[in-house]
Amino acid sequence: MKLLSAFLALFLFVSFTNVKATAEAKSFTLSQVNSSGAAPHYYKYDASENGFKSSRSDILSPSYYVYAGNLTLDEAKQLMSNLGIVDNVNEWGSTIRFINPLNPSGYGEKDAEVFIDLLSNEIVRNVKVIGIDEGATFVNNHLSDKGYALAGILLLIFIIF
């Protein structure tokens, strides 16, 4: 199963890195969802709210949850463009969330519990989790074993030489 997950992650990574950001992709709007203390602060883009709809079954539309550390709105927009995922989200009429840690010092077990709460507030379908840098460690250590609803996990760690 882990080998299958690794191949899926590699496929998604190659797919995303080969997509060039288009003018349409740069005009997306992220909405800010503020924390109530027990819930995370995150940024969300919902393609269906912007008029995009998949020509396929809604059950196939992915819901992306990105864990990349504490991000500002501008950083989340930049990361979304850098991932090259906007066209995919639009094509499927799906959603993407950039989830900040509850604790400013980083993600922890409480964030994993809140992930399950986030899933319980929506229709669970084709859930994809992307962990970047400290988010990759969090996803590997805390979310991978809670993966009953996960269709895919992509972990990216950027090393700058």
Side-chain angles (χ1 to χ4, degrees):
M1 185 66 177
K2 290 191 179 214
L3 183 59
L4 180 62
S5 295
F7 283 124
L8 177 61
L10 181 61
F11 171 75
L12 289 172
F13 177 73
V14 169
S15 297
F16 292 159
T17 56
N18 288 332
V19 174
K20 301 266 190 236
T22 63
E24 178 183 38
K26 292 182 181 181
S27 64
F28 59 87
T29 303
L30 282 175
S31 61
Q32 185 167 300
V33 180
N34 289 318
S35 169
S36 63
H41 174 266
Y42 63 92
Y43 305 104
K44 177 181 176 182
Y45 172 68
D46 187 338
S48 65
E49 290 178 359
N50 291 308
F52 292 96
K53 185 174 180 180
S54 176
S55 61
R56 302 166 199 103
S57 170
D58 284 347
I59 196 72
L60 298 174
S61 296
S63 296
Y64 294 99
Y65 293 81
V66 180
Y67 289 86
N70 283 306
L71 298 175
T72 64
L73 180 60
D74 290 336
E75 290 169 336
K77 284 181 181 180
Q78 184 63 48
L79 180 57
M80 191 164 163
S81 290
N82 290 348
L83 286 172
I85 197 169
V86 179
D87 291 334
N88 180 270
V89 173
N90 287 341
E91 176 186 348
W92 288 93
S94 59
T95 60
I96 186 167
R97 292 163 189 80
F98 294 87
I99 303 169
N100 286 336
L102 291 170
N103 185 335
S105 65
Y107 296 107
E109 184 59 37
K110 184 69 176 160
D111 293 285
E113 294 170 15
V114 170
F115 171 71
I116 301 301
D117 293 340
L118 282 173
L119 290 181
S120 69
N121 290 324
E122 298 197 15
I123 297 171
V124 177
R125 59 179 187 211
N126 203 2
V127 175
K128 313 272 192 216
V129 177
I130 300 172
I132 301 172
D133 291 333
E134 73 176 87
T137 302
F138 165 72
V139 169
N140 186 51
N141 292 342
H142 295 281
L143 295 186
S144 61
D145 64 345
K146 296 180 180 2
Y148 68 92
L150 301 182
I153 296 175
L154 174 64
L155 306 175
L156 302 172
I157 299 177
F158 297 106
I159 300 172
I160 300 172
F161 293 96

